[in-house]
Amino acid sequence: MRLLEARRVARRRDHISPGVRHLQPPWRRCRRHAAARASKKGREPRNRTHLRASLPLMIRVLPALGLAMLLFSGCSGDDPVVSDADREAGAEAHPQLLAEFGGAYSGEESAYVVRLGGKVANAAGLGGRCTFTLVNSDVVNAFAVPGCYIYVTRGLMGIVNSEGELASVLAHEVGHITARHSQRQQRRSIWRGLGVLAVQVLTGSERLTRIAGEAAAFFTLRYSRGQEYEADDLGLTYLRGAGYDPYAAADMLDALGRQESFLARTRGRDEARSLPEWTRTHPLTTNRVTRAREQAAATGLEADALPENELPFLREVDGLLYGDDPEQGFVIGRRFAHPVMRIGFEAPQGFTLTNSPQAILIEGPDGLRGEFAGGPMPPGGLEAYASSVLRQLLGDTPVEPGEVRRVVVNGVPSIQSQMRIQTSDGAVTLSLAAYRGAGDGAYHFVMIGNPSAPSAAAVASLFGSFRLLGEEEARRLKPRWIRVAKVSPGETAQSLAARMATDAPLEHFLMLNGRSGDQPVRPGELVKIVTYTR
């Protein structure tokens, strides 16, 4: 098959008819926006990243969010939807968020998201007041924070299939901003955070609280169904105002639903993958796609009366990194492998792994959870490294120390220990294993859970799986890319799927391209595939 021509030859701007360029919703101030919402109430709906011991997200962003709480004193009079104070608070949190969630993805795709976001912001009456960032994460997610800082992951960008669909994601998040849902959720989060801090006072450990899963992070709070519907409605208005087919919003929700169904079907093959994060923070109800189509029809426009711009989008997504970033290592089923650091491990059955730039988050049965991370080896060697991890993790928390054992694991020197910690909810067991890596690196597991024999056996299996990778094994770990290909005569979905560098290649191909199994490909049609060649 013949790959799409180079972007620099094929790139061209989409054309929006003059009749829709000027469209903007009437609410640019909170007072107007509140009235518009009230009228709807009766309607039914990077540089190389090193793994290291991670500090809690809440502590990193809480000062900025606390400042924002003092500034968000309500929405009345002529206060703008996004004030200078909002922007200042968002700007303070922005670099911390990027460090936590994978950093900004650089390149032409990032500039494309910024341009597209600018069109949506203009349609919302927020021109020049929003910042749009493509995040270097394969997790399917998008979120907004006060100050109109909008984030969309390359994972989400990879599963939609048109510029209109991507614009609808950005428009939906702008809808959360103009409706001030972030501020409402933040107030709940701050109050829940006060409860978390009370737990931290009892345990003396902020990081322990985070790993134990008791901290309710600001960004993982679910929006309510009413808030989602409101953001859907506002987003559809902004989408149409930006010149895109309003039906693209329903197509985007369809894409998310396909991704959710695909992962649910294939989790047995890849237990490390959970359902898309976007569906957790933005719940997909059974009638939401239908409702989105009904709302689009209510505009009086026929489907495709305005463009979705599939071709410009495919030109942009061609060459997008897919899956894990090699600089953050690869999660492959229950296995983690890092080709740069030349390390790896495998979790037992029933465990899931989540990759992040700071650490590998580990969840097991019966509430067992923890992390794998690393850092430089201190002058005192492995003992000093293990002590430093425990100091950062526990602070002044009272513990009942257990035996410290020196163990050689797959030829790698390690220190392993177990201790009991008293919390307000009773005793938990903390298990630590620290390893000497190649060169000046050191790595560790920390696992926390209720004391039980099955948990102890699972943790022992995890700790015993750490190893150093051979040169050839590390070389085989390669990044994957989305490539856009033109279907040749005689090709089928099956033959195209055979070129996919993924598990479940046919299902993956159909999901990625928004197709059903009985929908044939046509000669000359452009489709997305995943390959090892950029």
Side-chain angles (χ1 to χ4, degrees), residues 361-523:
L361 306 180
I362 305 170
E363 293 190 54
D366 303 320
L368 185 64
R369 64 184 61 201
E371 69 177 20
F372 174 81
M377 183 72 76
L382 200 55
E383 293 82 356
Y385 177 82
S387 297
S388 175
V389 169
L390 289 175
R391 279 196 306 272
Q392 293 180 52
L393 182 66
L394 298 175
D396 298 327
T397 304
V399 299
E400 300 175 21
E403 178 187 6
V404 177
R405 299 182 299 121
R406 300 177 185 276
V407 183
V408 176
V409 177
N410 298 316
V412 180
S414 75
I415 291 178
Q416 301 183 15
S417 65
Q418 190 176 89
M419 58 206 72
R420 288 171 62 89
I421 304 169
Q422 292 297 327
T423 72
S424 58
D425 295 327
V428 298
T429 298
L430 183 148
S431 302
L432 168 74
Y435 307 84
R436 180 181 298 277
D440 59 354
Y443 305 94
H444 70 269
F445 291 102
V446 171
M447 299 299 299
I448 298 171
N450 297 320
S452 70
S455 292
V459 169
S461 174
L462 175 68
F463 288 0
S465 70
F466 179 85
R467 63 191 181 88
L468 302 181
L469 303 183
E471 183 176 347
E472 179 58 30
E473 183 178 7
R475 188 164 44 243
R476 289 197 302 268
L477 295 168
K478 299 181 292 184
R480 297 174 298 171
W481 312 89
I482 291 179
R483 298 310 311 263
V484 176
K486 183 178 290 187
V487 178
S488 298
E491 287 194 301
T492 64
Q494 289 76 11
S495 65
L496 290 164
R499 309 180 74 150
M500 294 275 289
T502 64
D503 293 331
L506 179 58
E507 291 180 273
H508 214 127
F509 173 82
L510 296 174
M511 180 275 295
L512 203 61
N513 288 282
R515 313 180 72 91
S516 61
D518 58 356
Q519 182 180 356
V521 295
R522 304 183 306 274

Side-chain angles (χ1 to χ4, degrees), residues 3-55:
L3 294 176
L4 193 66
E5 297 178 38
R7 288 197 195 126
R8 61 184 178 84
V9 175
R11 189 181 312 280
R12 58 182 174 88
R13 292 179 180 266
D14 59 290
H15 297 284
I16 302 175
S17 64
V20 298
R21 286 185 184 273
H22 68 282
L23 291 178
Q24 290 186 353
W27 48 84
R28 295 195 185 188
R29 301 285 183 178
C30 290
R31 183 172 58 188
R32 289 181 178 178
H33 175 59
R37 295 202 315 266
S39 68
K40 296 177 179 288
K41 286 185 177 178
R43 185 180 303 166
E44 173 63 28
R46 117 174 34 177
N47 290 327
R48 171 177 171 180
T49 302
H50 294 271
L51 290 170
R52 58 187 181 276
S54 57
L55 295 174

Side-chain angles (χ1 to χ4, degrees), residues 112-113 116 140 152-170 248-259 278 308-310 313-314 317 320 322 482 484 511-514 528:
Y112 176 65
V113 168
L116 190 58
V140 174
V152 59
T153 63
R154 59 175 170 81
L156 195 155
M157 186 176 181
I159 68 167
V160 298
N161 284 287
S162 73
E163 192 171 280
E165 289 182 31
L166 182 58
S168 74
V169 173
L170 303 179
D251 294 340
M252 177 271 293
L253 293 173
D254 263 338
L256 291 169
R258 287 192 303 271
Q259 167 79 349
W278 203 90
E308 284 202 35
N309 290 341
E310 291 90 347
F313 173 80
L314 290 174
V317 81
L320 180 71
Y322 189 80
I482 291 179
V484 176
M511 180 275 295
L512 203 61
N513 288 282
K528 293 181 289 184

Side-chain angles (χ1 to χ4, degrees), residues 263-334:
L263 292 179
R265 290 194 307 271
T266 59
R267 282 187 78 181
R269 301 175 199 146
D270 188 357
E271 292 181 310
R273 300 299 184 208
S274 59
L275 295 181
E277 189 66 25
W278 203 90
T279 68
R280 296 178 180 180
T281 56
H282 303 66
L284 284 173
T285 58
T286 54
N287 67 338
R288 191 166 164 204
V289 176
T290 300
R291 184 181 183 277
R293 288 204 175 93
E294 291 172 349
Q295 295 297 93
T299 64
L301 292 173
E302 296 291 333
D304 300 323
L306 294 176
E308 284 202 35
N309 290 341
E310 291 90 347
L311 184 58
F313 173 80
L314 290 174
R315 286 170 175 158
E316 294 289 349
V317 81
D318 185 35
L320 180 71
L321 180 65
Y322 189 80
D324 290 321
D325 186 334
E327 299 295 334
Q328 297 176 13
F330 293 92
V331 169
I332 309 166
R334 291 176 286 107

Side-chain angles (χ1 to χ4, degrees), residues 515-534:
R515 313 180 72 91
S516 61
D518 58 356
Q519 182 180 356
V521 295
R522 304 183 306 274
E525 183 180 5
L526 298 178
V527 295
K528 293 181 289 184
I529 60 173
V530 177
T531 75
Y532 289 115
T533 304
R534 188 170 188 177

